[in-house]
């Protein structure tokens, strides 16, 4: 019996080794199967919207018969470069990329072009490359206008009220969208600053001064701490232009630290963007004033359409062929429509549309 068992064990080991050898021999380093491969490169999981974006695109592409390779770079440039290179090596036919830093993927986009891979720039325009097929985003200038409109309306600036104290925050300087948001907002706010109806006590008004690298809430909180300690020992902050919900949360934390958010010292008007759950809860609680709803389900569907059409040689309908320049190419773009959300309309826009459930906002 012992001899029989020994023989069986040896045969099992031989078969196991043979199987391993067979797998290695047949491996080409590429994803195998009948479906076309789509690589989806997202910047981070630290923002819920990017998680939703990635999942929405992956599901949409799978319904069209694609295999998907969805990767998140943890806001690390080198991670994202390595991930995209790996997608190319695995045989991806199309890449959908929301960059960590739009200026750093020039070489890897050239690799994709040489491998005849289509590239869709997703929400953040890829820069310094001629090898971007399409760009799917929102009307980013309008986002800034809506953010500023929320401040204008809440303060009664159109009715001549003021002066009010305001502080300004912008997004990450390495994200092409940040300048569009800033320019849109300042198209509304600058006339009030010039006339003295809005006063920036920190005197930090230029895009270079107010940028927030990687859209980081902690960086925004530290800057707001500094602004408050130097400029608002006796004065009151009436409004803060914030371009993104994560930055808004950092600003709110700073303001709470010096007593804002109470009956005697209510929160200033604070804008935002993306309708992240934490900020929607903050809006419901009466802290953050508003956010911008960018329905990523619509954006993901458009990017999926672009990817599929680019591979099949079909033309995708776009609504902007002038605004988005990588530095080497004007990229045909589709701009989805942003909508302002506040305490009065969040149920209709976010819950009734099933973007969130009521339970998710409690």
């Amino acid at each position: 019996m012992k001899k029989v068992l020994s023989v069986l064990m040896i045969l099992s080991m031989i078969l196991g080794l043979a199987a391993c050898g067979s797998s290695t021999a047949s491996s080409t380093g590429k994803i195998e199967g009948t479906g076309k491969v789509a690589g989806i490169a997202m910047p981070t999981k630290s923002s819920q919207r990017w998680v939703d974006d990635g999942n929405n695109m992956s599901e949409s592409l799978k319904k069209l018969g694609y295999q998907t390779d969805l990767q998140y770079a943890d806001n690390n440039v080198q991670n994202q470069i390595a991930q995209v290179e790996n997608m190319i090596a695995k045989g991806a036919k199309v890449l959908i990329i929301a960059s960590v830093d739009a200026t750093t993927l020039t070489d890897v986009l050239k690799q994709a072009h040489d491998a005849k891979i289509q590239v869709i720039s997703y929400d953040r325009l890829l820069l310094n490359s001629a090898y971007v097929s399409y760009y799917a985003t929102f009307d980013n200038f309008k986002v800034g206008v809506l953010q500023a409109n929320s401040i204008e309306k809440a303060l009664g600036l159109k009715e001549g009220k003021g002066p009010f104290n305001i502080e300004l925050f912008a997004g990450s300087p390495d994200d092409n969208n940040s300048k569009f948001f800033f320019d849109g907002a300042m198209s509304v706010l600058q006339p009030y600053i010039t006339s003295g109806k809005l006063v920036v006590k920190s005197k930090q008004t230029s895009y270079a001064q107010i940028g927030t690298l990687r859209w980081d809430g902690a960086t925004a909180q530290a800057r707001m701490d500094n602004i408050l300690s130097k400029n608002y020992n006796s004065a009151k902050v009436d409004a803060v232009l914030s371009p993104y919900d994560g930055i808004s949360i950092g600003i709110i934390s700073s303001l709470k630290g010096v007593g804002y958010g109470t009956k005697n010292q209510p929160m200033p008007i604070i804008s935002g963007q993306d309708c992240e759950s934490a900020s929607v809860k903050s809006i419901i609680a009466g802290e953050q004033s508003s956010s911008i709803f960018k329905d990523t389900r619509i954006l993901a569907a458009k990017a999926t359409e672009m990817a599929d059409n680019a591979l099949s040689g079909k033309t995708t309908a776009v609504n902007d062929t002038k605004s988005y320049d990588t530095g080497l190419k004007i990229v045909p773009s589709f701009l989805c429509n942003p909508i302002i959300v506040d305490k009065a309309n969040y149920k209709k826009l976010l819950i009734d549309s099933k973007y969130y459930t009521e339970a998710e906002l409690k």
Side-chain angles (χ1 to χ4, degrees), residues 247-299:
I247 289 174
S248 307
I249 294 297
I251 291 165
I252 289 168
S253 295
S254 177
L255 289 163
K256 283 182 174 180
V258 293
Y260 285 85
T262 63
K263 185 176 181 180
N264 293 330
Q265 194 174 23
M267 279 288 172
I269 305 304
I270 303 170
S271 61
Q273 179 180 189
D274 283 346
C275 285
E276 295 191 344
S277 59
S279 279
V280 178
K281 290 176 185 177
S282 180
I283 289 170
I284 295 167
E287 296 176 343
Q288 188 170 324
S289 307
S290 64
S291 186
I292 303 298
F293 180 35
K294 297 161 61 175
D295 194 335
T296 54
R297 295 169 298 186
I298 296 172
L299 188 64

Side-chain angles (χ1 to χ4, degrees), residues 110-268:
K110 176 65 164 57
Q111 292 176 36
H113 172 74
D114 291 345
K116 295 182 171 52
I117 298 170
Q118 299 288 334
V119 175
I120 310 299
S121 188
Y122 187 85
D123 204 33
R124 296 176 173 179
L125 182 64
L126 295 161
L127 300 176
N128 303 333
S129 176
Y131 308 123
V132 181
S133 305
Y134 288 105
Y135 179 37
T137 189
F138 286 85
D139 187 335
N140 296 312
F141 187 89
K142 185 177 180 180
V143 167
V145 169
L146 291 175
Q147 290 170 336
N149 284 161
S150 70
I151 294 170
E152 179 185 49
K153 181 179 178 181
L155 296 180
L157 291 169
K158 276 189 174 181
E159 290 71 46
K161 295 180 181 180
F164 298 102
N165 294 323
I166 188 171
E167 293 299 330
L168 310 174
F169 284 74
S172 192
D174 54 17
D175 183 343
N176 189 67
N177 289 351
S178 296
K179 190 65 164 58
F180 279 89
F181 301 148
F182 175 75
D183 288 345
M186 295 308 285
S187 72
V188 176
L189 299 179
Q190 187 60 56
Y192 296 115
I193 295 172
T194 301
S195 69
K197 289 295 184 180
L198 288 176
V199 179
V200 184
K201 290 185 70 65
S202 69
K203 303 190 186 308
Q204 297 174 15
T205 59
S206 72
Y207 180 67
Q209 289 174 307
I210 68 173
T212 310
L213 186 64
R214 301 286 187 269
W215 303 87
D216 184 59
T219 300
Q221 182 174 346
R223 179 170 168 251
M224 192 69 196
D225 287 344
N226 186 264
I227 287 171
L228 290 169
S229 66
K230 288 186 176 180
N231 303 281
Y232 289 93
N233 290 321
S234 57
K236 181 182 74 167
V237 184
D238 298 301
V240 182
L241 173 69
S242 170
Y244 158 61
D245 286 345
I247 289 174
S248 307
I249 294 297
I251 291 165
I252 289 168
S253 295
S254 177
L255 289 163
K256 283 182 174 180
V258 293
Y260 285 85
T262 63
K263 185 176 181 180
N264 293 330
Q265 194 174 23
M267 279 288 172

Side-chain angles (χ1 to χ4, degrees), residues 11 42 68 73 104 115 133 157-158 207-208 224 234 257 262 278 312 324 327 336 339 348 353 360-361:
L11 285 171
M42 295 286 104
T68 59
T104 59
S133 305
L157 291 169
K158 276 189 174 181
Y207 180 67
M224 192 69 196
S234 57
T262 63
S312 60
Y324 291 93
C336 300
I339 306 170
K348 179 181 179 182
S353 72
E360 288 173 322
L361 298 179

